[in-house]
């Protein structure tokens, strides 16, 4: 009888240990997923996955590598940068922008009453979209698609000129120059842009 009780006791201990390990694994997985989101690159992003209509949700901050992310202070740094970006985006009226990527290699974006269209090329290896509008102005964005979410980010030092093109409001963008430049200069390998939802 005592022997059976000992076996039962060890069985309970073993089950509890397995649950604990599983819980720790889940926590670690969620942490790693959060960090991975803030680093450029995603194998699941394909030419097919970017096709659709995407609407602005929030500012997006990513880093070129996990080493630069760690050096910058991880997710906390990314969140602080996104908060500063939100202030800039609100000031220049970027919220509400909508991107449409079609299978035939054409794209357009709509911001308020302004619609701009052109062609795009997706680079599967680099995970970039090169967009060229009808005026011949070209922009390159790093793209990550996860389910119904898309991140479009640009080199931080080029974001200023890209925002001027997107909004068509150079004076408004220029008024945010000091804030944007201070953000761009504060971190190595910083990519800035926005998150969109399908």
């Amino acid at each position: 009888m005592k022997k059976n009780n000992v076996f039962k006791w060890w069985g309970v201990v073993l089950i509890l240990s397995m649950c604990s390990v599983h819980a720790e694994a889940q926590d670690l997985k969620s942490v790693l997923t959060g960090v991975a989101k803030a680093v450029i690159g995603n194998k699941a992003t394909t030419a097919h996955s970017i096709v659709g209509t995407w609407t602005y949700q929030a500012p997006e901050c990513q880093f070129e590598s996990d080493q630069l992310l760690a050096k910058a202070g991880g997710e906390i740094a990314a969140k602080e940068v996104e908060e500063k970006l939100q202030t800039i985006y609100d000031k220049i009226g970027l919220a509400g922008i909508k991107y449409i990527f079609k299978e035939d290699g054409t794209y357009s974006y709509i911001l308020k009453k302004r619609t701009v269209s052109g062609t795009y090329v997706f680079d599967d290896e680099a995970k970039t979209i090169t967009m060229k509008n009808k005026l011949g102005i070209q922009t390159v964005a790093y793209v990550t698609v996860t389910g119904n979410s898309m991140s479009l980010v640009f080199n931080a030092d080029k974001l200023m000129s890209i925002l001027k093109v997107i909004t068509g409001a150079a004076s408004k963008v220029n008024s945010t120059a000091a804030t944007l430049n201070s953000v761009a200069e504060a971190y190595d390998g910083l990519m800035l842009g926005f998150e969109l939802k399908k």
Side-chain angles (χ1 to χ4, degrees), residues 7-45:
F7 281 126
K8 284 179 184 175
W9 170 250
W10 279 112
V12 170
V13 170
L14 183 63
I15 289 167
L16 288 173
S17 298
M18 288 172 68
C19 289
S20 174
V21 169
H22 179 69
E24 286 176 14
Q26 287 294 98
D27 289 344
L28 181 61
K29 184 180 178 185
S30 64
V31 169
L32 291 176
T33 301
V35 172
K37 185 181 179 294
V39 177
I40 290 293
N42 184 333
K43 291 178 183 177
T45 304

Side-chain angles (χ1 to χ4, degrees), residues 34 37-38 56 58-63 74-90 151 153 183 187 190-195:
K37 185 181 179 294
Y56 174 89
E60 181 75 1
C61 162
Q62 295 183 7
F63 290 82
E75 289 288 295
I76 294 170
K79 188 179 178 190
E80 287 176 355
V81 172
E82 285 171 3
E83 286 172 357
K84 287 183 180 179
L85 272 184
Q86 185 65 65
T87 303
I88 293 169
Y89 290 175
D90 288 344
S151 295
V153 293
V183 170
Y187 304 99
L190 182 63
M191 315 293 286
L192 302 173
F194 26 85
E195 180 189 352

Side-chain angles (χ1 to χ4, degrees), residues 14-173:
L14 183 63
I15 289 167
L16 288 173
S17 298
M18 288 172 68
C19 289
S20 174
V21 169
H22 179 69
E24 286 176 14
Q26 287 294 98
D27 289 344
L28 181 61
K29 184 180 178 185
S30 64
V31 169
L32 291 176
T33 301
V35 172
K37 185 181 179 294
V39 177
I40 290 293
N42 184 333
K43 291 178 183 177
T45 304
T46 63
H48 179 71
S49 70
I50 67 174
V51 173
T53 300
W54 305 86
T55 305
Y56 174 89
Q57 294 296 305
E60 181 75 1
C61 162
Q62 295 183 7
F63 290 82
E64 288 178 350
S65 72
D66 52 1
Q67 289 177 333
L68 290 170
L69 173 67
K71 186 180 175 185
E75 289 288 295
I76 294 170
K79 188 179 178 190
E80 287 176 355
V81 172
E82 285 171 3
E83 286 172 357
K84 287 183 180 179
L85 272 184
Q86 185 65 65
T87 303
I88 293 169
Y89 290 175
D90 288 344
K91 193 170 183 178
I92 65 176
L94 191 68
I97 190 169
K98 186 180 289 185
Y99 274 85
I100 302 161
F101 294 100
K102 296 184 178 178
E103 288 185 16
D104 64 1
T106 61
Y107 82 98
S108 59
Y109 65 82
I110 303 162
L111 181 60
K112 296 177 180 175
K113 295 179 180 180
R114 185 168 179 257
T115 301
V116 175
S117 58
T119 58
Y120 75 90
V121 176
F122 175 72
D123 185 324
D124 189 59
E125 191 172 330
K127 303 300 179 189
T128 59
I129 302 177
T130 301
M131 293 170 275
K132 189 174 183 180
N133 67 24
K134 288 184 176 178
L135 295 174
I137 299 171
Q138 190 169 287
T139 56
V140 179
Y142 291 84
V143 59
T144 305
V145 177
T146 310
N148 65 344
S149 294
M150 172 192 279
S151 295
L152 277 184
V153 293
F154 311 85
N155 288 315
D157 57 354
K158 293 180 180 175
L159 184 63
M160 178 91 69
S161 57
I162 289 166
L163 290 177
K164 287 178 185 177
V165 172
I166 291 172
T167 62
S171 59
K172 285 186 178 180
V173 176

